Amino acid sequence: MEHLYYKPSGKIPVKGIFISIITAFVITVILSIIYIALQWFIPFIYLNFFIAAGLGFGVGAGVFIAIGLGKIRNTKYECVLAALCGLLAWYSQWALFVSLMSEAKGSMGGGMWVRSSFNLTGFWYILTNPEILFKAMLSLNDAGTFTLKHNTVSGTLLWLVWIIEAVIIIGAPMLFSLSGRSTSPFSEQNDQWMEERELEEKLKTVTDPDQMIAELNSGNLKSLKDFLPADDLSDDYATLRIYESPGDPVSYISVTNISHIADKKGELKKETKPVIEYFRITTALN
């Protein structure tokens, strides 16, 4: 019964294409600049993995925003845009890095430079001439760009580091897009994304998801009103989120089980487990 769950219409507004591409590309370039700035001024190579992950997921978030502004309801389009932005982020940060290296002075050793200056002309030249960029990468690989335990990292090991970096920067946005904006409920009637709200009341933990789904399939919404008493302080419960748009007779709901489990230190850790997601209903829920 796939029709009982939200499924994106697949629509790609012409205007939305321009809005999404421009927005996503601008955000991507800005994040790439921030990425290089962090790498340049934070001389801790062990943090590079987290900085790269930050860039990757930041680009993914940028695509999420861009898809929302463009009102794109096509998951394949979002995935392709995420891949393009990932490639743009990887390429533009390299172009910026190489342009800064060409202006760098005062070596600190191991590929760290005391100072440099941004040259827009030089950056644009490298950005628009891939062959120059790749030649520079070969030279940098031979010389090394950082040290590890007082040894300059170059050659095969440095290529491996760069490949891992590229996989993170390009792959993270694509991973982010799998549950991106285009998968969220959209009101075709009102031409807008549905508003999301979570009921303040807590539902009893759903112990039999299949039974709840069967009841909802039959039109029985009783399980969605099985709230815990207001004075119940239990750490285990379920939440109900509603997606709706004014005047649209169709809305969607998601139910998530929330539990708190003690870790080895005895501290409670919150765990969430989706029960149902984007189930279609036509009956008002307050």
Side-chain angles (χ1 to χ4, degrees):
M1 297 184 178
E2 294 183 358
H3 64 285
L4 292 178
Y5 295 86
Y6 176 74
K7 183 177 181 180
S9 65
K11 293 181 179 179
I12 307 175
V14 175
K15 181 180 179 181
I17 294 176
F18 293 100
I19 293 175
S20 61
I21 290 177
I22 293 174
T23 302
F25 281 13
V26 169
I27 292 176
T28 295
V29 172
I30 292 175
L31 290 176
S32 298
I33 294 173
I34 295 174
Y35 173 73
I36 289 301
L38 290 174
Q39 284 205 332
W40 191 272
F41 293 110
I42 301 178
F44 300 108
I45 188 62
Y46 300 103
L47 294 178
N48 282 4
F49 171 83
F50 299 101
I51 298 175
L55 173 60
F57 285 104
V59 170
V63 172
F64 185 96
I65 294 172
I67 291 294
L69 293 175
K71 298 181 180 180
I72 305 293
R73 288 93 79 190
N74 189 295
T75 55
K76 292 181 180 179
Y77 176 91
E78 182 170 8
C79 186
V80 170
L81 182 60
L84 290 175
C85 286
L87 286 168
L88 176 62
W90 175 81
Y91 184 80
S92 59
Q93 61 90 17
W94 259 111
L96 178 58
F97 182 68
V98 170
S99 68
L100 288 174
M101 293 285 277
S102 66
E103 300 289 333
K105 298 178 181 179
S107 175
M108 292 173 59
M112 296 300 299
W113 276 257
V114 174
R115 61 185 181 277
S116 182
S117 59
F118 176 71
N119 186 309
L120 181 59
T121 302
F123 170 65
W124 183 253
Y125 178 74
I126 295 174
L127 187 69
T128 55
N129 290 274
E131 69 280 2
I132 301 297
L133 175 60
F134 292 127
K135 286 181 180 179
M137 290 177 66
L138 291 174
S139 298
L140 288 171
N141 183 264
D142 289 336
T145 58
F146 65 91
T147 60
L148 190 62
K149 295 183 179 180
H150 305 293
N151 295 314
T152 300
V153 177
S154 60
T156 302
L157 180 57
L158 186 54
W159 280 120
L160 179 61
V161 171
W162 288 350
I163 289 174
I164 293 174
E165 177 189 53
V167 169
I168 293 173
I169 294 175
I170 299 172
M174 297 180 67
L175 182 64
F176 196 103
S177 71
L178 295 179
S179 56
R181 190 59 165 130
S182 62
T183 64
S184 303
F186 187 91
S187 173
E188 299 295 336
Q189 174 178 300
N190 296 331
D191 190 36
Q192 65 181 22
W193 298 102
M194 289 189 168
E195 298 177 359
E196 176 184 350
R197 65 184 176 94
E198 183 174 310
L199 293 188
E200 295 182 2
E201 298 89 342
K202 298 177 180 178
L203 292 173
K204 292 182 180 179
T205 299
V206 180
T207 57
D208 190 345
D210 292 336
Q211 180 180 348
M212 170 177 270
I213 293 173
E215 291 177 354
L216 294 176
N217 284 343
S218 65
N220 182 2
L221 304 182
K222 181 180 178 181
S223 58
L224 299 180
K225 299 179 181 180
D226 192 10
F227 299 113
L228 289 171
D231 58 352
D232 191 301
L233 301 178
S234 174
D235 290 325
D236 297 335
Y237 54 90
T239 60
L240 173 62
R241 295 191 308 279
I242 303 173
Y243 303 84
E244 57 195 354
S245 182
D248 195 325
V250 176
S251 57
Y252 297 87
I253 60 169
S254 292
V255 178
T256 304
N257 275 339
I258 307 294
S259 60
H260 293 77
I261 301 176
D263 59 15
K264 295 180 180 179
K265 297 181 180 180
E267 298 178 354
L268 292 179
K269 298 295 183 180
K270 182 178 179 180
E271 292 190 359
T272 62
K273 184 177 181 180
V275 178
I276 57 174
E277 188 171 32
Y278 303 151
F279 186 88
R280 183 178 186 272
I281 61 173
T282 55
T283 302
L285 287 173
N286 297 320

